[in-house]
Amino acid sequence: MKFLKRLLDFYIQSSIHVGFAVFCLVKITEITAKLHPIPFFSACVFFATILGYNFLKYLEVFRNGNFHSTKYYSILLVSIFSCIGLFFTFINLKNTIQIYILFSGLLVLLYPLLRKFGLVKLFFVSVVVTFITVCIPYANTKFFLQDYEINLFQRFLIVSSLLIPFEIIDSPFDPISLQTIPQKFGINKSKLFGMLLVIPFVILEFSKSNSSLVSILIGPVTVILIHFSSTHRNKYYTSFWVESVPILWWVLVLFFC
């Protein structure tokens, strides 16, 4: 049992879970919008997400050599393998897609500078994820399809709402100067804000040429997770369960779309 817990912790802490979640968002766009998959792109996103998250989370540890436990060596190893995977998938992409990926990387590098602005940080992350998981997959088409703008707005809304539980759980530990949404408006209003974002996400699904019941069901799942989020929840609530929503979404899409 302890081994399984340590394995789960490593899976989460090494950013493999969030990498898989972002990978799933790419696949959801491809399937629901009936796009031709860009060869190597989803794998490139998977490796890039792991590398980017580990860079942001463990930069100080790696730079200062403060390896206080073997887990950091394992995370460093995962980051190295992700770097290799990113390189080999990146060089097989079209030049235009490579430019988009590089642009996304520059946006990620801006995150530490924007982190001190609570509201900006949340929406910035949503914009970056939306760009990677919706804009770039559509770049492989010769014309913009009917539901492109709707998919863009929907993805921005659902990612923003899924970030609210993270904001709530982190609020006691965030410096008050960040003025995150829970710090500025309180926990209950933050929950309400996150739930309100889900409403247009669901409504917009009905206006699409090919609406998906699966996408509609993700709305209530997100609302439930927001409702039960609190400052007393453990790390698994957000780092595993909330981040599992895109994975659940993708699995349901595979079976029912």
Side-chain angles (χ1 to χ4, degrees), residues 49-80:
T49 303
I50 293 174
L51 190 62
Y53 265 75
N54 286 347
F55 171 79
L56 294 174
K57 287 194 295 184
Y58 304 112
L59 176 61
E60 291 301 317
V61 174
F62 293 155
R63 187 167 62 185
N64 298 327
N66 296 327
F67 294 90
H68 299 304
S69 67
T70 55
K71 78 171 184 179
Y72 290 122
Y73 290 104
S74 302
I75 290 169
L76 179 60
L77 190 62
V78 168
S79 301
I80 292 171

Side-chain angles (χ1 to χ4, degrees), residues 28 32 154 158 198-208 210-223 245 249 252-253 257:
I28 290 163
T32 57
Q154 277 188 305
I158 199 66
V198 176
I199 295 173
F201 167 81
V202 173
I203 292 173
L204 284 168
E205 189 64 31
F206 291 101
S207 66
K208 291 164 73 171
N210 292 301
S211 59
S212 168
L213 178 62
V214 170
S215 297
I216 294 168
L217 289 174
I218 290 301
V221 171
T222 303
V223 168
V245 171
W249 191 358
L252 292 175
V253 163
C257 291

Side-chain angles (χ1 to χ4, degrees), residues 82-145:
S82 297
C83 187
I84 296 170
L86 174 60
F87 173 76
F88 281 107
T89 52
F90 180 82
I91 61 175
N92 283 287
L93 294 170
K94 295 179 181 177
N95 290 340
T96 52
I97 305 301
Q98 289 177 338
I99 292 170
Y100 290 138
I101 292 288
L102 290 173
F103 177 70
S104 304
L106 291 175
L107 292 177
V108 171
L109 292 176
L110 285 175
Y111 178 80
L113 301 176
L114 296 174
R115 193 182 183 281
K116 59 183 178 181
F117 305 105
L119 287 171
V120 175
K121 177 196 71 172
L122 184 143
F123 294 122
F124 178 78
V125 172
S126 300
V127 167
V128 173
V129 173
T130 300
F131 177 77
I132 294 170
T133 64
V134 179
C135 291
I136 301 180
Y138 268 91
N140 202 35
T141 62
K142 294 181 179 179
F143 54 90
F144 287 120
L145 302 179

Side-chain angles (χ1 to χ4, degrees), residues 148-182:
Y148 173 67
E149 292 84 0
I150 297 174
N151 282 325
L152 271 180
F153 194 39
Q154 277 188 305
R155 187 60 51 82
F156 174 80
L157 290 169
I158 199 66
V159 172
S160 297
S161 62
L162 286 170
L163 288 173
I164 294 299
F166 289 89
E167 296 284 298
I168 291 172
I169 289 176
D170 290 343
S171 59
F173 312 102
D174 287 331
I176 196 67
S177 59
L178 289 181
Q179 285 296 284
T180 60
I181 292 176

Side-chain angles (χ1 to χ4, degrees), residues 182-198:
Q183 290 173 336
K184 197 166 186 177
F185 302 105
I187 302 297
N188 290 333
K189 288 183 179 178
S190 299
K191 288 183 179 182
L192 178 61
F193 174 70
M195 293 175 185
L196 289 175
L197 291 175
V198 176

